[in-house]
Amino acid sequence: MNKKSKLVMLSLCISSLLLAACTSDGSAGKSPTNNDSDTNEAGMVTIHTVTSEYTSAKYPKGDDITNNVWIRRYKEKLNIDVKTDWVSDEYETKLNLAISSNDLPDVFRVNPSQLRQLIEADMVMDLTDAFDQYASDRLKGYMKADADSFESGKKDGQLYGIPQMHWGLIDQPDFVWIRNDWKEELGLEDPKSVADIKNIALKFMEKHGGYGIAVDQSLDYLNLLAIAWNAHPDIWIEDSSGELAYGSIQPEMKAALAEWAEWYKLGIIDPEFAIKDFNAMNADIVAGKVGMQPYYQWWGYNPGVDTVANLGKDAIFYPYIIPTIDGKEAKQSISFANGNYIVMKKGFEHAEEVIKILNDYAYIVDEGQGKESQETLSALLDNDIAHVVGAFRVLNPNSDYEQFEAVSAALQSKDTSGLTTSGMWQKYNNSIEFMENATPGAVGDYLQQGAPKNAYGLAKKVLDSENYVKTGLWGVTPEALASYGTTLDDILTEGFTKIIMGTESIDYFDVIVQNWRAAGGDEATRAVNEAYGK
């Protein structure tokens, strides 16, 4: 399972035991610990919430996640006093305990499984009327832009969970990243086939030693290359009978594994990949031990910043479309993007106030430029402060696509009149900063949007041409599948690793598939097909 899918799946693990705990004592209407949500004499509404740690945010002196510029804005502009009852770096676990004891805050973020169980336990509000009446046109526009995510927050046509949305499908295409100074030094062409990738890796090894391609024990990054064999691990695809099947156990995956086993023998794949985690994998990139890496669009943010800081600007990696074995552009795998919902506990009396906060966040991010001072926008959005608002935001699912179009146009024309959001200005300014001064901290935005070879330019091409395969699991994950957690994928990772390292032959793939099916894969497949009407 790739990293994106794991992030979603990990968020699905609330057990049915918790639901039993919620309902067995008939306490769905139990009063919460904090019940002072109310309106004071000055008309100020108090709202209780909870949130997770966000360690990358850099606060001004005296501020923290419970007391910051956003909290003050709610109070000053909207007359709403938001109180954070707890903050935890183990948010899912702590929230599950709060759900099981029915000690809920007024407003909080949940994953799809938690949403489903809270609805069944009658513990969260029907937000249909409040959203219809108080959501801004912009916020409603977000829901129209990704109607599938909006529908996933409903049951029987009523809205219980407002999807927090996502940055856009432009984030999802994956690439093979290649160190540019080594590629130019050897006069190598851009890769147009799997054979080209193999040849580049061998040339790099011959000239610079080390190994050819950086991957880690999770196989997440190596699996990104599987689309070259028309395999789509980690997503559900329609098979020849019209039913949904798990991509990781299809015959195309066997062909990919056979090639990777050959690469391992040649030293192309890191010989120590089976004992390296994500950080160890990236440490080799930063140390200059390897010049290729299958990776997501955010390579420039990590490990890009440390790579450029340590090895210099010429050691930058550029992204390339993953080619197929027969020299075409591989079809990308696209997963359902929304994984979080905003819910309000049953009986909460100020749903409209929460929606006003959501409207305000959307206004600041999408319309604030030109209407608010730069000081105000900088305080609210820079240094990752934009991400500390917990349940109080919905993202524009078209934002990154629109942002890329505006930034790339401005960089080409030098006309910045189309930069209408602070995010656009940040990407534009950082792209210029890297081009002029090679500042390591700016390399992420540069490689995502501003470089001659940039990730979003390639991703836009993929989306515009619809050269992708969407997962058949386009919505909430069935409980029967979620209940397996990572067990089924652990069987595949362990078995695939044995094949790649040569401790088992390629024929062992068939044994792995049988083990996967017997361990619950067949049951999970039936649940997925029943849930999606196959």
Side-chain angles (χ1 to χ4, degrees), residues 229 250-260 506:
W229 288 266
Q250 302 309 302
E252 291 83 0
M253 196 66 206
K254 188 174 183 179
L257 287 167
E259 179 74 13
W260 296 342
I506 188 60

Side-chain angles (χ1 to χ4, degrees), residues 72-350:
R72 292 190 289 275
R73 180 178 176 84
Y74 305 150
K75 190 174 296 183
E76 294 165 3
K77 299 291 183 182
L78 302 173
N79 211 28
I80 300 171
D81 184 14
V82 170
K83 294 184 180 298
T84 306
D85 293 343
W86 53 258
V87 182
S88 176
D89 59 359
E90 296 183 354
Y91 179 85
E92 297 289 333
T93 301
K94 194 169 178 65
L95 181 60
N96 285 341
L97 293 172
I99 293 171
S100 68
S101 60
N102 195 21
D103 188 12
L104 299 178
D106 300 321
V107 185
F108 52 109
R109 170 179 59 83
V110 297
N111 65 40
S113 183
Q114 290 165 333
L115 172 64
R116 179 172 47 239
Q117 300 206 36
L118 286 166
I119 293 173
E120 292 173 357
D122 195 25
M123 294 172 69
V124 289
M125 285 183 62
D126 178 352
L127 301 173
T128 308
D129 291 340
F131 190 84
D132 286 346
Q133 185 173 351
Y134 294 102
S136 65
D137 289 344
R138 177 165 292 278
L139 197 59
K140 291 177 179 175
Y142 292 177
M143 303 303 157
K144 290 180 180 177
D146 187 353
D148 289 339
S149 288
F150 189 43
E151 290 299 314
S152 72
K154 296 180 179 178
K155 182 180 181 183
D156 299 330
Q158 301 301 111
L159 180 69
Y160 291 90
I162 301 172
Q164 289 200 288
M165 295 296 184
H166 48 84
W167 300 110
L169 297 185
I170 197 171
D171 283 359
Q172 294 208 27
D174 305 309
F175 312 101
V176 56
W177 292 76
I178 301 176
R179 182 166 167 170
N180 193 59
D181 55 349
W182 288 4
K183 178 172 173 287
E184 290 192 342
E185 175 189 25
L186 294 167
L188 300 172
E189 299 291 328
D190 295 353
K192 295 182 174 58
S193 69
V194 171
D196 290 343
I197 291 177
K198 178 182 177 182
N199 182 58
I200 292 171
L202 290 172
K203 292 291 186 184
F204 282 2
M205 293 163 60
E206 181 181 354
K207 178 67 177 180
H208 295 284
Y211 56 93
I213 297 177
V215 298
D216 74 356
Q217 60 192 198
S218 72
L219 297 185
D220 288 346
Y221 304 91
L222 190 53
N223 277 341
L224 300 184
L225 289 180
I227 58 175
W229 288 266
N230 198 32
H232 294 279
D234 312 322
I235 69 170
W236 291 80
I237 57 177
E238 198 169 90
D239 65 13
S240 57
S241 67
E243 294 191 341
L244 295 178
Y246 197 45
S248 298
I249 62 169
Q250 302 309 302
E252 291 83 0
M253 196 66 206
K254 188 174 183 179
L257 287 167
E259 179 74 13
W260 296 342
E262 181 65 23
W263 288 4
Y264 183 82
K265 290 179 184 175
L266 295 171
I268 292 175
I269 291 177
D270 180 2
E272 298 180 341
F273 83 92
I275 59 172
K276 287 185 177 175
D277 61 12
F278 173 80
N279 291 325
M281 172 184 68
N282 280 348
D284 282 355
I285 295 282
V286 175
K289 294 181 179 179
V290 58
M292 298 181 74
Q293 187 177 34
Y295 210 78
Y296 312 117
Q297 52 85 9
W298 59 82
W299 187 95
Y301 301 95
N302 182 21
V305 173
D306 289 339
T307 301
V308 171
N310 191 49
L311 302 174
K313 63 181 178 61
D314 293 335
I316 196 169
F317 284 46
Y318 285 129
Y320 297 88
I321 289 278
I322 295 172
T324 64
I325 52 176
D326 54 356
K328 300 175 183 176
E329 293 183 355
K331 284 186 178 295
Q332 296 279 341
S333 300
I334 300 292
S335 299
F336 187 69
N338 182 72
N340 292 292
Y341 300 85
I342 303 159
V343 296
M344 304 179 205
K345 72 177 180 183
K346 192 75 176 284
F348 176 55
E349 295 180 349
H350 301 291

Side-chain angles (χ1 to χ4, degrees), residues 297 301 403-404 427 444-450 454-457:
Q297 52 85 9
Y301 301 95
Q403 184 184 81
F404 169 70
K427 302 290 182 180
D445 290 340
Y446 172 73
L447 282 178
Q448 187 190 65
Q449 307 201 16
N454 64 76
Y456 273 5

Side-chain angles (χ1 to χ4, degrees), residues 406-407 409-411 413-420 424-425 428-429 432:
V407 171
L411 288 170
S413 66
K414 308 304 179 187
D415 176 3
T416 59
S417 61
L419 303 179
T420 58
M424 292 177 183
W425 275 105
Y428 176 83
N429 288 332
I432 297 292

